[in-house]
């Protein structure tokens, strides 16, 4: 059985948060395959630790993926500051005899180094076109944990577990491995906190992750980090500001251009200018052709949480305008031209330490060591849709006994999607609209 089929049957999706089905990515042909080990979100520690603990497996999975897409070179992008991890990777690449094909390249400690398009530029010097994807410039990008899962797939092991960093204003920071479908609250309690009445939880990193409305959710293949902060923390207040409140505050925009001048996509040569979009909303401008640039926003949140000197909400404004365009069925039109990064880009990169300080997280930016803890939920709820594409179709029924690793949901015919598997052995007790629930034996 080919590796591509094994990857598809294993249900592998982008583990960094996007959740795009990996078998679709690996069906392409590329000049480069890139490993995204930047992990630029503050406080998160999954990728750097996986590369230190499982270097051989990640390197082998990455190399196999590169051969599959026909890549001439396999490049690992990791921040230079992680010197120990870089040394481990270099040593293992050489020991495995892959040094002529796999290469480690250092990245600056800046945000957002892990943005897919930024990573492509840093490692290859190529600029992904506006509204484009890396394959358009001959690159395929996968995450460190995804590479680990590819290795496991080559050994017929599907995705049933997820690595998560639990961080924030908590007694116990750690990175743990838990079954997919584990109740979020079970993971949060590993922090040493039992009562979360005074806390809010960010699902993902502090920059791009949303504040969870409820803690009643379940771990998916995309869950990467859980950042726990007091409800009165300024970051929580900023992230929970309503759009109507943001629009009122945004009326004080002075058009200083800082949101644009420090925008990672603008610096890559794209025509994304958030300050102009603030002008559109504040003055009720109607030219929707100019507004289409909001489709280029990666929602990295740099403009909103760092660049704006008076704390306005340019990213939220981009989202507001994008929603309006989508409701009117107005889409961005791609133009077949090449792009060049702006000359001042290297002087406008945002150091991670400055970003962490601005977010008010400096005192919380501490290790979250890989911790061997056992999380045995009595019931797991495995989402049918935890990936880009159509929800998986259940192939089990209530009352069925299943084993850990067993296929329980398949990809709909002729659709983009990913398979799902039982993460524990037990009995199927519920198949509702969104989940397949399994009770442990």
């Amino acid at each position: 059985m080919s590796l591509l089929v094994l990857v598809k049957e294993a249900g592998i999706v982008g583990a960094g948060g996007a959740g795009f089905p990996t078998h679709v990515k690996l069906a392409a042909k590329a000049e480069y395959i890139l490993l995204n080990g930047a992990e630029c979100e503050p406080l998160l520690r999954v990728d750097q630790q996986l590369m230190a603990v499982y270097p051989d497996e990640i390197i082998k999975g990455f190399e196999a993926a590169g051969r599959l897409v026909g890549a001439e070179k396999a490049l690992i992008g990791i921040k230079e500051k992680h010197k120990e991890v870089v040394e481990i990777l270099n040593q293992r690449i050489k020991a495995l005899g892959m040094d002529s094909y796999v290469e480690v390249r250092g990245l600056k400690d800046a945000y957002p180094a892990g943005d897919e398009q930024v990573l492509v530029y840093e490692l290859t010097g190529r600029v992904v076109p506006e509204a484009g994807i890396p394959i358009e410039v001959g690159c395929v990008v996968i995450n460190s944990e995804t590479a680990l899962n590819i290795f496991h797939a080559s050994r017929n092991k599907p995705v049933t577990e997820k690595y998560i960093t639990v961080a924030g204003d908590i007694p116990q920071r750690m990175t743990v491995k838990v079954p997919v479908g584990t109740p979020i609250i079970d993971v949060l309690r590993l922090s040493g906190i039992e009562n979360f009445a005074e806390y809010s939880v960010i699902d993902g990193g502090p920059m791009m992750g949303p504040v969870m409305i409820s803690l009643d959710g379940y771990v998916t293949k995309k869950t990467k980090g859980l950042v726990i902060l007091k409800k009165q923390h300024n970051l929580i207040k900023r992230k929970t500001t309503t759009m109507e409140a943001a629009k009122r505050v945004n009326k004080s925009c002075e058009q200083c251009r800082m949101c644009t001048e420090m925008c990672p996509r603008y610096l890559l040569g794209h025509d994304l200018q958030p300050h102009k979009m603030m002008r559109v909303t504040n003055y009720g401008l109607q030219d929707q052709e100019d507004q289409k640039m909001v489709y280029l926003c990666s929602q990295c949140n740099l403009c909103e949480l760092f660049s704006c000197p008076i704390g306005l909400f340019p990213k939220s404004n981009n989202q507001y305008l994008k929603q309006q365009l989508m409701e009117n069925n107005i889409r961005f039109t791609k133009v077949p031209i090449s792009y060049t990064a702006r000359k001042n880009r290297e002087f406008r990169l945002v150091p991670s330490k400055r970003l962490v300080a601005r977010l008010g997280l400096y005192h919380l930016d501490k290790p979250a060591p890989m911790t061997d803890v056992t999380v045995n939920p009595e019931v797991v709820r495995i989402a049918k849709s935890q990936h880009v594409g159509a929800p998986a179709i259940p192939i089990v029924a209530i009352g069925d006994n299943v084993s850990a690793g067993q296929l329980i949901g398949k990809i709909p015919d002729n659709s983009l999607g990913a398979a799902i598997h039982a993460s524990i052995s037990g009995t199927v007790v519920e198949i509702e609209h969104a989940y397949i629930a399994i009770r442990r034996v």
Side-chain angles (χ1 to χ4, degrees), residues 223-241:
T223 307
K224 177 109 172 151
L226 298 169
V227 179
I228 306 166
L229 298 172
K230 294 285 181 64
K231 286 184 176 179
Q232 63 266 32
H233 193 285
N234 186 60
L235 181 59
I236 299 299
K237 291 180 179 179
R238 294 276 296 171
K239 282 180 168 287
T240 53
T241 300

Side-chain angles (χ1 to χ4, degrees), residues 78-262:
I78 181 173
K79 290 183 177 179
E80 294 172 344
K81 71 174 183 179
H82 299 308
K83 295 180 180 179
E84 292 183 8
V85 182
V86 171
E87 185 176 353
I88 289 171
L89 290 172
N90 281 326
Q91 288 177 351
R92 296 313 304 159
I93 290 169
K94 187 173 182 179
L96 293 168
M98 298 181 186
D99 47 322
S100 63
Y101 184 65
V102 181
E103 179 184 338
V104 177
R105 291 192 179 176
L107 303 171
K108 296 176 182 177
D109 187 17
Y111 180 85
D115 175 276
E116 205 170 53
Q117 296 193 14
V118 171
L119 186 78
V120 167
Y121 178 76
E122 292 290 348
L123 296 184
T124 70
R126 300 178 179 184
V127 178
V128 177
E130 291 180 343
I133 56 177
I135 194 60
E136 295 180 45
V137 290
C139 299
V140 166
V141 182
I142 62 174
N143 169 268
S144 301
E145 188 175 354
T146 304
L148 178 62
N149 288 334
I150 292 170
F151 172 81
H152 289 322
S154 70
R155 269 64 176 173
N156 293 299
K157 180 182 177 182
V159 180
T160 60
E161 299 170 318
K162 191 69 182 74
Y163 290 91
I164 303 170
T165 293
V166 182
D169 190 4
I170 56 178
Q172 300 165 192
R173 302 169 186 85
M174 64 182 70
T175 299
V176 295
K177 179 175 68 174
V178 301
V180 170
T182 297
I184 291 290
I185 192 66
D186 288 2
V187 183
L188 293 175
R189 286 181 177 138
L190 298 174
S191 67
I193 297 173
E194 285 293 327
N195 186 350
F196 288 88
E198 297 181 1
Y199 293 87
S200 290
V201 179
I202 298 173
D203 181 9
M207 290 297 287
M208 297 184 70
V211 175
M212 298 182 69
I213 298 173
S214 167
L215 304 185
D216 295 332
Y218 303 88
V219 171
T220 72
K221 299 175 188 178
K222 299 189 296 181
T223 307
K224 177 109 172 151
L226 298 169
V227 179
I228 306 166
L229 298 172
K230 294 285 181 64
K231 286 184 176 179
Q232 63 266 32
H233 193 285
N234 186 60
L235 181 59
I236 299 299
K237 291 180 179 179
R238 294 276 296 171
K239 282 180 168 287
T240 53
T241 300
T242 65
M243 190 61 237
E244 288 307 309
K247 286 169 65 177
R248 288 196 298 269
V249 174
N250 284 350
K251 291 184 182 297
S252 61
C253 178
E254 299 173 341
Q255 291 290 289
C256 72
R257 287 187 55 99
M258 287 303 293
C259 56
T260 294
E261 294 297 336
M262 299 187 72

Side-chain angles (χ1 to χ4, degrees), residues 51-66:
M51 288 185 285
V53 177
Y54 302 109
D56 286 22
E57 292 86 346
I58 289 174
I59 293 165
K60 288 177 181 178
F62 182 48
E63 187 264 352

Side-chain angles (χ1 to χ4, degrees), residues 11-54:
I12 300 176
V13 302
F20 191 83
T22 302
H23 68 273
V24 178
K25 276 191 176 184
L26 299 187
K29 293 300 176 185
E31 295 175 61
Y32 292 98
I33 188 164
L34 311 178
L35 186 77
N36 190 345
E39 197 161 45
C40 60
E41 277 275 14
L43 307 187
L44 302 192
R45 304 286 187 262
V46 172
D47 290 335
Q48 55 196 267
Q49 295 191 86
L50 287 181
M51 288 185 285
V53 177
Y54 302 109

